Amino acid sequence: MSDMRKIDIACLLLLCMVSAASAQTYDIIERRNSWNAGANVTGIMMDSITTSYAELYGRNSHGDFRNYSEAEKSWSAGATAKSITHLKGYSLTGSFSFDHTSGKNMSGSMFIHPGFYPVDILEFTPGRKDLQTYTFMGGIATDIAPNWRLGGKIDFASANYSKRKDLRHTNYRLDLKVAPSVMYHSGELAIGLSYVFNKNSESVKAEVIGTAATSYNAFLDKGLMYGAYEAWNGSGVHLSESGINGFPIKELSHGAALQLQWKGFYGDIEYSHVSGSAGEKEAIWFKFPTDRIASHLSYRFKQGNKEHFIRLNLQWSHLVNNENVISKETVNGVTTSHIQGANRIFEKDAFFIHPEYELISPRGELRLGTELSTFKRLTTQMYPYVASEKMLCSRTSISGTLHTGRFDLKAAASFSTGNFTEKSRTAETETEPGNPPYRLTDYYNLQNEYATATHATLHLGLRYHFNHGIYAEIQGSYTHGFNLNYIEGSSRWNESIKLGYTF
């Protein structure tokens, strides 16, 4: 039995041994403390309620309202456990989760999180894909003086992704975030400061097993679906480079966050600078630095036994992607790569705003919110051709939970829509321009329609509380898209079942 399988079984046994009150209680306690939205773990000491839960779940999804990298039919199963514990002089928080997702007839992006990086690799031979994800989070905060607190938090995630048909690929991804923090508090005033370090990396290894009548193709998307389309082992898509193991890509960031609380008001702001690159050793194909700013604002007030929350989340980022010009020199059978310069081939500005209102009462909860995202993208990967895009996406949602006896009745509805505009031009030049860069037009249209299509989602759930903190829950949701031109179908269904404990 493999070590990873032993870990899986041990964690599942641990989850089945815990005892005890309502998983919903954990969600409410986590949200009601606004410090949990930021990076400073010492904020968990601003609340005094201890709560934990563990849960097993299974999920099924099917339907044709999906993006090109999603499966028409897929299933997931996993386990998760979370805890906030307050002891004398210090507090702890932690979580663990495992998820296995499998889908059939999948193609499209080879990456675990399509769109996370500014470049993407697509393949076009449908087959089964399996994704396993492990996450761990741990944090501790303690009083070091009458008005001072010190703490630290670590988030770690590991994932592996595999496809076992035709053009096969195997991915390995690691995410690590560390945030040591300090807080000064006096009366109803609290000020916090955090340093935030983050590193993520992924490696895509592709291969073809056996013989094939024709060569399989891949596409390297360098922005707005412009890029290189050729045989998967060609030099333009970088999947089979001499001396490089697969397609390695990574990000490394350093940042700082400042938090402030005064009575019922809380606010924080976090800035980080990210250095990203694709390739390794001397052969670095792309470099993509990014600047990011995130902020959370909230106000909390009470009316009798009811609590009201007004929240505002903001995010902004600016990314540029530079493609290096690389020459290779072979001496005595040894090939050395040299970077001769770089071309800026892509830029992206993104802005996100999310206002929300929440009501928490003994009889239930109610949440209302709107999400608005704007994107500006510019690709200039081949002189003198320039293409730009502006996209606007919005989503309005309402959700609620009603507690009645042993039952929790849950319902949610959302409405999403958006639009985009694209402009292409050719810069003035005295020389005769060559052919424009290759573009996957059909995939571009489908991707943008999925992001901006008008669609509505209805979600229903029912939870039953047994004795001793045990609960069971069933959920279902339906999504319907309107006025579609490129997406295969207008419907998507999701069903899930959960079994959990609180303690």
Side-chain angles (χ1 to χ4, degrees):
M1 184 180 293
S2 67
D3 292 340
M4 189 60 71
R5 181 64 62 185
K6 293 178 181 178
I7 294 174
D8 294 347
I9 295 175
C11 292
L12 291 175
L13 289 174
L14 177 62
L15 295 177
C16 293
M17 290 172 62
V18 297
S19 61
S22 163
Q24 184 184 44
T25 302
Y26 180 92
D27 296 338
I28 295 173
I29 293 173
E30 185 180 43
R31 293 199 307 270
R32 67 188 292 217
N33 185 357
S34 300
W35 287 81
N36 291 328
N40 195 325
V41 71
T42 62
I44 62 175
M45 301 187 75
M46 302 300 287
D47 203 342
S48 60
I49 301 177
T50 293
T51 182
S52 307
Y53 84 97
E55 186 176 86
L56 304 174
Y57 65 86
R59 185 181 301 116
N60 182 58
S61 302
H62 52 98
D64 286 328
F65 185 78
R66 56 193 173 92
N67 208 347
Y68 60 82
S69 295
E70 295 179 315
E72 179 184 358
K73 297 180 180 180
S74 65
W75 62 268
S76 302
T80 182
K82 296 183 179 181
S83 177
I84 297 175
T85 303
H86 300 284
L87 302 171
K88 187 176 180 180
Y90 65 97
S91 298
L92 303 170
T93 182
S95 67
F96 161 83
S97 70
F98 166 75
D99 179 89
H100 181 100
T101 299
S102 181
K104 295 182 179 180
N105 297 321
M106 296 181 65
S107 57
S109 175
M110 289 185 171
F111 282 107
I112 292 175
H113 302 302
F116 183 90
Y117 297 111
V119 294
D120 200 355
I121 304 177
L122 282 70
E123 50 87 17
F124 311 96
T125 54
R128 174 178 169 176
K129 291 189 178 184
D130 292 281
L131 171 64
Q132 290 186 338
T133 305
Y134 304 81
T135 67
F136 166 82
M137 181 273 289
I140 183 171
T142 183
D143 292 313
I144 57 174
N147 298 101
W148 291 91
R149 290 169 177 162
L150 186 67
K153 184 179 180 181
I154 180 171
D155 285 273
F156 175 78
S158 173
N160 60 80
Y161 193 36
S162 62
K163 181 181 181 181
R164 299 300 179 191
K165 183 179 179 180
D166 299 327
L167 178 53
R168 305 182 177 198
H169 65 85
T170 304
N171 302 30
Y172 298 95
R173 181 181 175 91
L174 295 175
D175 288 84
L176 175 66
K177 183 176 181 180
V178 179
S181 304
V182 64
M183 175 197 288
Y184 170 81
H185 63 97
S186 177
E188 295 184 294
L189 172 68
I191 301 174
L193 180 65
S194 305
Y195 164 73
V196 183
F197 169 79
N198 182 263
K199 181 180 181 181
N200 61 75
S201 62
E202 186 169 351
S203 177
V204 182
K205 301 177 183 178
E207 62 178 343
V208 174
I209 302 296
T211 59
T214 59
S215 177
Y216 296 105
N217 289 333
F219 176 73
L220 177 60
D221 177 15
K222 301 180 183 180
L224 300 183
M225 283 295 172
Y226 287 100
Y229 178 80
E230 59 186 45
W232 75 272
N233 55 357
S235 60
V237 295
H238 302 300
L239 283 173
S240 181
E241 293 269 354
S242 177
I244 299 179
N245 190 13
F247 188 101
I249 192 167
K250 64 181 180 180
E251 285 184 340
L252 183 69
S253 72
H254 300 270
L258 179 67
Q259 304 88 24
L260 171 67
Q261 180 175 344
W262 170 250
K263 296 184 177 180
F265 170 81
Y266 169 85
D268 68 46
I269 185 168
E270 178 180 333
Y271 167 78
S272 61
H273 178 75
V274 184
S275 299
S277 63
E280 63 182 13
K281 300 177 183 178
E282 299 90 0
I284 302 296
W285 309 308
F286 304 96
K287 286 189 175 182
F288 42 95
T290 309
D291 292 295
R292 295 173 181 160
I293 297 176
S295 178
H296 306 92
L297 305 172
S298 68
Y299 180 68
R300 171 185 177 182
F301 62 97
K302 293 184 178 181
Q303 288 182 332
N305 60 358
K306 299 179 181 179
E307 291 184 288
H308 303 263
F309 299 83
I310 300 174
R311 304 184 182 100
L312 179 64
N313 300 327
L314 302 168
Q315 295 180 16
W316 171 87
S317 65
H318 174 72
L319 174 146
V320 298
N321 189 16
N322 300 311
E323 184 175 23
N324 289 327
V325 179
I326 300 176
S327 64
K328 296 183 178 181
E329 181 183 10
T330 301
V331 178
N332 297 327
V334 178
T335 301
T336 306
S337 299
H338 303 279
I339 297 177
Q340 304 297 331
N343 297 317
R344 179 157 297 179
I345 62 171
F346 183 69
E347 295 185 36
K348 181 177 75 171
D349 286 288
F351 177 73
F352 172 83
I353 180 171
H354 178 203
E356 180 186 64
Y357 165 77
E358 181 173 13
L359 167 66
I360 298 177
S361 73
R363 292 299 306 275
E365 300 86 50
L366 176 68
R367 300 177 73 181
L368 304 168
T370 296
E371 301 174 18
L372 184 66
S373 304
T374 62
F375 304 91
K376 294 182 180 180
R377 301 180 178 96
L378 175 69
T379 177
T380 56
Q381 59 184 275
M382 184 179 293
Y383 182 82
Y385 301 100
V386 180
S388 62
E389 177 193 82
K390 294 182 179 180
M391 180 179 292
L392 173 66
C393 303
S394 67
R395 178 179 179 270
T396 301
S397 62
I398 178 172
S399 63
T401 301
L402 176 64
H403 307 302
T404 172
R406 289 180 176 268
F407 290 94
D408 292 339
L409 306 177
K410 301 182 179 183
S414 65
F415 179 81
S416 304
T417 189
N419 62 76
F420 73 96
T421 58
E422 184 190 23
K423 295 182 180 179
S424 300
R425 63 184 179 89
T426 303
E428 295 184 3
T429 176
E430 296 180 355
T431 61
E432 183 67 23
N435 294 326
Y438 181 82
R439 188 181 210 184
L440 283 181
T441 305
D442 292 342
Y443 280 75
Y444 173 76
N445 291 333
L446 194 156
Q447 173 182 261
N448 280 9
E449 183 173 71
Y450 185 80
T452 61
T454 299
H455 62 279
T457 300
L458 177 64
H459 177 95
L460 297 174
L462 177 64
R463 175 177 292 188
Y464 181 78
H465 295 275
F466 299 92
N467 295 326
H468 310 297
I470 303 171
Y471 67 88
E473 183 173 341
I474 57 172
Q475 294 180 352
S477 66
Y478 172 71
T479 299
H480 185 82
F482 303 91
N483 303 319
L484 305 175
N485 296 314
Y486 303 101
I487 299 176
E488 291 184 9
S490 59
S491 297
R492 186 78 174 173
W493 299 87
N494 293 274
E495 304 89 25
S496 63
I497 184 171
K498 300 178 181 180
L499 177 64
Y501 300 80
T502 62
F503 56 102

